[in-house]
Amino acid sequence: MRLLIVVFTLLFSMVASATIDTYEFKDDVSRERFQQLTNELRCPKCQNQNLAGSNSPIASDLRREIYRMVSAGENDDQIVDFMVTRYGEFVLYRPRVTESTWVLWYGPFVLLAIGAVVILLLTRKRKKTNVIDKTLNDQDQVRLATLLDKGKDK
């Protein structure tokens, strides 16, 4: 019985092995371009995984397509435009600056400027309240000190 379990375990464990894509390039420049493109482009099926690291069938198909386009002599912009046309801006980790991505590119700077203005206004308001405290006459300062002392006793 143990022998039968060992045989089944060995047989089924070999089915789970993954295939590795291998491509033959005419030169090192083409291989570098292929690796750069597959690292920079996102898999349309996977969440935040590039084409080079994804095991999904669509990523494998897209790697083959990129290999074909690199081998055909197309430049990087043509390959990226093909991918964006087919799958949208989602495939780019760094989307292009267009009207639809202005919030993505400039939004953090706008929020930072708003935060700086809010902090500036709060510090000015705080300075004004300190100025008011200094303008109290002697009688009001004695009264204020008495009220503060009563608050400490409670």
Side-chain angles (χ1 to χ4, degrees), residues 77-128:
D77 291 334
Q78 291 172 324
I79 295 171
V80 170
D81 287 341
F82 168 78
M83 295 290 288
V84 169
T85 302
R86 194 164 185 189
Y87 298 103
E89 292 281 329
F90 176 77
V91 297
L92 300 176
Y93 276 114
R94 288 176 281 152
R96 299 172 180 154
V97 179
T98 62
E99 287 183 18
S100 62
T101 60
W102 281 353
V103 172
L104 176 69
W105 285 103
Y106 302 120
F109 299 112
V110 170
L111 290 176
L112 186 65
I114 290 171
V117 168
V118 167
I119 290 173
L120 181 68
L121 291 175
L122 289 175
T123 56
R124 281 189 175 181
K125 185 177 179 181
R126 187 168 289 162
K127 284 181 183 178
K128 285 181 183 178

